[in-house]
Amino acid sequence: MESLLIKGGVPLEGEVWISGAKNAALPIMAAALLTPEPCIIHRVPNLSDVRFMAQILNWLGASVTFKDGTLRIEARKIKGYGDYDLVRKMRGSICIMGPLLGRLKRARVSLPGGCVIGARPINLHLKGFEALGAKITIEGGYVQASARRLVGSAMFLGGRAGSTVLGTANVMMAATLAEGVTVIESAACEPEIVDLAKFLNAMGAKITGAGSPTITITGVKELHGAEHELIPDRIEAATYAIAAAATDGEVTIKGARADHMHAVLDKLEEAGVSVVRRGPDLIVSRKGRLRPVDVTTLPYAGFPTDVQAQMMALMTLAPGISIITERIFESRFMHVSELARLGADIEIEGPSAIVKGGRPLSGAPVMASDLRASAALVIAGLAARGTTQVNRVYHIDRGYENIDGKLRQLGARIQRIEDT
Ligand code: EPZ
């Protein structure tokens, strides 16, 4: 197993290019199942989650090639439904269900199960499929959706934490090939949903309202191949912006979309971080001392849950009390105990973490748990005095392309080592 060895205390300086968005790539890859014609997707990040999704599509019968950031997917004939035990290994692959239901009128996948950040139910996905006329059965750890015909209808997909991103993606994809009009109320508004709708429309779908809480899909008979370039990864961009602030450096973030990052950039500025927009570039540096801020995660366009851990790492450096409240997932504080090993003073009170910031961090071996918690540990290690070893770095490789290479380019003393 690999680890990242970090010698902290170096201010990050220079330019970093942001990769294509992982959370746009996964549903868009699944969407290619909706047509027998080839689809070409550019700016695809080389991540383990993306390679795994490519394996799943391959397993389903699609031909998939991935070279220099471009994916070519041709799902000429896809397997009838079969047992996709793979879904359990990567939750995000649940988004193959909508396309399979749309194209084959049936889909059978293993229930994704929970993960370290929460139970990760799919009740809203299934509610949407049923609203399209699918019959849902759950047996032996598998969920099956089947329909003689899919018929568009109006549905409400809001859940206990607001909308569902992959639930919106799944139902939207199935609805493209349903008969009639589907209206999804309380749809997810994330930029990744907008990117997926753009790709589906390029394939001949008829979708309006993506990016708003009401998405309308007028079903068509079939979809054709399309070519698409992914949006940049707003979570990766936020992670590097926070790393720049945490190390008191100055980093130019290239290829990001500031208009996808308002909540994060606003919160960083409130915390005393300078964010200067120069054309498409973002120049991030610290303007003197960091200030403590309160953060609550919300569905888009609120502060993203995927940046909560990274923001907490930054707040351990801001003298004073910051309150970080997680409203999307029920247990997304795995990083708290690991940050404490670096000297952070954080207490959990229900959905909130109370960060008493300002004490310098000192390096120690820490354990990565989920993708974004691991990124938070890297940020803390970069800011800490001494050496930090982040173990189980495979978590990070799921969502960050070449993170050690990109950080080295910014002057970080970081190397990937084989864990003895
Ligand atoms: C997507 O997961 C992202 N993953 C997650 O990013 C992200 O944290 C999450 O959206 C929220 O923004 C991908 O896009 C691959 P949800 P998703 O359905 O779609 C509840 C990362 O780090 N819910 O929006 O699975 C659920 O329990 C990952 O890149 C139901 O109750 O998340 C949660 O509390 C982590 N019933 C809330 O909604 C359902 O049927 C939001 O979940 C579905 C969800």
Side-chain angles (χ1 to χ4, degrees):
M1 206 131 35
E2 290 182 318
S3 299
L4 290 177
L5 201 61
I6 302 164
K7 286 192 176 39
V10 177
L12 298 183
E13 312 269 349
E15 293 186 348
V16 63
W17 275 94
I18 299 305
S19 304
K22 165 179 86 82
N23 291 349
L26 298 177
I28 285 173
M29 288 170 75
L33 294 169
L34 285 162
T35 176
E37 296 184 10
C39 292
I40 310 284
I41 307 160
H42 299 292
R43 196 175 182 178
V44 181
N46 186 7
L47 303 169
S48 52
D49 270 12
V50 167
R51 295 192 298 272
F52 193 70
M53 178 62 104
Q55 278 175 36
I56 292 175
L57 299 183
N58 205 268
W59 198 92
L60 288 167
S63 83
V64 186
T65 55
F66 186 18
K67 195 168 173 341
D68 304 331
T70 293
L71 264 172
R72 183 184 186 283
I73 302 169
E74 189 169 356
R76 221 203 319 271
K77 247 183 88 37
I78 43 177
K79 217 170 255 174
Y81 55 103
D83 298 343
Y84 315 117
D85 206 22
L86 304 154
V87 168
R88 246 195 340 201
K89 297 193 187 92
M90 182 185 71
R91 228 198 132 277
S93 53
I94 190 70
C95 60
I96 60 173
M97 207 166 174
L100 290 177
L101 181 61
R103 180 151 170 215
L104 301 177
K105 305 297 179 278
R106 62 184 188 281
R108 183 170 189 265
V109 296
S110 62
L111 282 165
C115 68
V116 286
I117 63 177
R120 314 298 295 273
I122 59 167
N123 59 306
L124 297 171
H125 300 234
L126 305 180
K127 176 182 179 183
F129 294 152
E130 281 178 320
L132 294 175
K135 183 170 168 301
I136 304 292
T137 51
I138 292 182
E139 53 175 288
Y142 287 92
V143 57
Q144 179 166 310
S146 56
R148 230 170 17 77
R149 294 166 56 217
L150 288 180
V151 180
S153 76
M155 62 187 75
F156 181 80
L157 284 193
R160 60 179 196 78
S163 50
T164 163
V165 176
L166 288 183
T168 301
N170 248 338
V171 176
M172 186 164 73
M173 289 190 280
T176 57
L177 294 178
E179 295 162 34
V181 178
T182 297
V183 178
I184 303 176
E185 293 294 355
S186 190
C189 303
E190 272 69 4
E192 292 76 25
I193 292 291
V194 176
D195 209 30
L196 172 62
K198 186 175 167 198
F199 178 61
L200 290 167
N201 283 340
M203 294 171 76
K206 291 189 171 44
I207 300 171
T208 56
S212 84
T214 304
I215 300 180
T216 304
I217 305 108
T218 305
V220 293
K221 275 247 160 302
E222 60 187 14
L223 296 177
H224 51 73
E227 187 155 5
H228 180 78
E229 175 168 321
L230 295 176
I231 53 171
D233 195 314
R234 59 194 169 95
I235 308 300
E236 184 195 22
T239 303
Y240 284 104
I242 291 172
T247 57
D248 201 0
E250 178 171 303
V251 171
T252 299
I253 294 177
K254 302 194 70 86
R257 286 273 305 265
D259 59 316
H260 291 164
M261 303 170 67
H262 289 308
V264 170
L265 299 181
D266 177 66
K267 200 44 86 174
L268 285 176
E269 285 174 333
E270 188 189 328
V273 178
S274 155
V275 181
V276 174
R277 291 163 179 68
R278 188 181 295 149
D281 299 342
L282 287 174
I283 299 153
V284 181
S285 60
R286 202 195 284 182
K287 268 183 322 200
R289 273 161 56 110
L290 287 171
R291 294 191 290 269
V293 295
D294 295 341
V295 176
T296 298
T297 64
L298 290 168
Y300 193 86
F303 193 93
T305 174
D306 292 348
V307 183
Q308 178 257 105
Q310 301 92 309
M311 196 66 195
M312 188 184 295
L314 183 66
M315 286 301 101
T316 66
L317 306 169
I321 305 280
S322 299
I323 300 177
I324 304 208
T325 304
E326 173 58 58
R327 290 279 180 226
I328 303 297
F329 289 109
E330 56 271 34
S331 61
R332 200 168 196 175
F333 285 145
M334 302 290 289
H335 41 288
V336 169
S337 47
E338 296 307 301
L339 289 171
R341 285 180 48 74
L342 301 176
D345 181 352
I346 307 169
E347 265 172 61
I348 297 177
E349 283 291 325
S352 298
I354 298 153
V355 182
K356 295 189 189 86
R359 253 191 355 219
L361 301 178
S362 59
V366 286
M367 190 70 77
S369 53
D370 90 275
L371 168 56
R372 307 303 174 182
S374 321
L377 297 177
V378 170
I379 290 170
L382 290 167
R385 280 201 309 267
T387 303
T388 296
Q389 178 166 326
V390 182
N391 297 311
R392 297 190 185 166
V393 80
Y394 63 85
H395 286 292
I396 296 189
D397 293 336
R398 288 188 44 208
Y400 289 91
E401 188 175 38
N402 186 24
I403 189 168
D404 42 325
K406 289 190 180 184
L407 285 171
R408 262 195 304 277
Q409 257 181 340
L410 293 171
R413 290 176 300 195
I414 180 171
Q415 52 175 329
R416 187 179 284 259
I417 58 169
E418 199 46 51
D419 208 3
T420 43

